[in-house]
Amino acid sequence: QTVVTQEPSFSVSPGGTVTLTCGLTSGSVSSSYYPSWYQQTPGQAPRTLISNTNTRSSGVPDRFSGSILGNKAALTITGAQADDESDYYCVLYMGGGIRVFGGGTKLTVL
Amino acid sequence: QVQLVESGGGVVQPGTSLRLSCAGSGFTFSSYVMHWVRQAPGRGLEWLTVISEDGSLKYYTDSVKGRFTISRDNSKNTLYLQMSSLRAEDTAVYYCATDPVVPTGVRYFDHWGQGTLLTVSS
């Protein structure tokens, strides 16, 4: 069974740049997996950041960007701010109607 | 604006059944694919199931296949999740989400509800 992988945790300094990745235990992520990214703070519903690899949702600051890096989808935060400290989840479309979440990355800004 | 409101959560005993609802407003409900996603306490998000805009197609993750049933009533702008044989591990916040694949061709979770908490405990 293919699993979607994310770094469990990451740390970035305020103003710094961080790239979170979303991979597969078997195979490479491409745009055909429709990678999307979601931000979630404790006790809140997820917020949609990025769809279709690199399309920012309405109201999402342009410091968030999505891409394919090598064999993974990636979420890059450029100029990290304190309120970017959150959990970040990717989702891949696996075909046949099936979506799979990655395990999430807990981002610390300090 | 788009609004999704889940309801029906609560505390139930193992082995029982429960139905969750998700009322949509502010968009053309019948044009959107809809999903259920859950999050167990302290855990990550888990995709559960999806239903096509007309209700004819349904897909499930393996962990709920045969126990959970997704359905919708487009006349009431409401999505449902019928859950049976509930287990302690089904304890989670359950979210519904829209998917704009029909109008846009892009597959993702566009809008989210605030979630409803289900606790399965004896």
Side-chain angles (χ1 to χ4, degrees):
Chain A
Q1 181 182 351
T2 299
V3 172
V4 178
T5 62
Q6 294 185 248
E7 299 86 359
S9 62
F10 232 117
S11 182
V12 62
S13 300
T17 296
V18 62
T19 296
L20 312 181
T21 68
C22 176
L24 292 168
T25 53
S26 177
S28 299
V29 177
S30 66
S31 59
S32 63
Y33 284 87
Y34 294 92
S36 54
W37 292 89
Y38 306 86
Q39 178 190 48
Q40 188 183 37
T41 53
Q44 299 297 312
R47 172 196 183 196
T48 304
L49 296 177
I50 301 284
S51 64
N52 202 24
T53 305
N54 55 17
T55 302
R56 270 188 304 276
S57 290
S58 176
V60 174
D62 60 7
R63 65 178 183 273
F64 292 92
S65 62
S67 63
I68 299 290
L69 288 180
N71 62 351
K72 297 181 179 181
L75 174 70
T76 300
I77 307 173
T78 304
Q81 299 183 1
D83 61 2
D84 295 336
E85 186 161 295
S86 302
D87 296 325
Y88 292 86
Y89 295 91
C90 69
V91 174
L92 300 180
Y93 174 66
M94 308 302 279
I98 305 298
R99 277 73 165 171
V100 179
F101 278 90
T105 297
K106 184 177 183 62
L107 180 68
T108 302
V109 181
L110 52 71
Chain B
Q1 73 281 19
V2 173
Q3 192 169 13
L4 296 169
V5 179
E6 300 95 338
S7 61
V11 181
V12 300
Q13 293 192 333
T16 60
S17 299
L18 193 71
R19 189 179 78 166
L20 304 181
S21 300
C22 167
S25 61
F27 65 106
T28 305
F29 185 83
S30 59
S31 294
Y32 280 77
V33 169
M34 297 293 297
H35 298 264
W36 286 101
V37 173
R38 72 181 176 185
Q39 186 170 37
R43 304 293 296 273
L45 297 165
E46 179 185 20
W47 176 81
L48 296 180
T49 179
V50 60
I51 187 168
S52 60
E53 64 277 17
D54 64 356
S56 63
L57 297 175
K58 306 172 186 180
Y59 300 97
Y60 301 88
T61 193
D62 286 347
S63 63
V64 304
K65 204 174 293 184
R67 297 192 303 124
F68 290 10
T69 301
I70 191 171
S71 63
R72 65 192 297 161
D73 186 338
N74 286 342
S75 69
K76 295 182 179 179
N77 291 346
T78 302
L79 174 73
Y80 302 102
L81 184 66
Q82 179 69 47
M83 304 179 291
S84 63
S85 303
L86 285 164
R87 309 164 179 167
E89 53 265 38
D90 295 318
T91 294
V93 175
Y94 287 74
Y95 297 100
C96 61
T98 61
D99 183 333
V101 62
V102 172
T104 71
V106 179
R107 304 174 186 273
Y108 68 108
F109 306 120
D110 189 7
H111 296 279
W112 298 76
Q114 282 303 303
T116 186
L117 175 62
L118 168 66
T119 302
V120 183
S121 173
S122 55

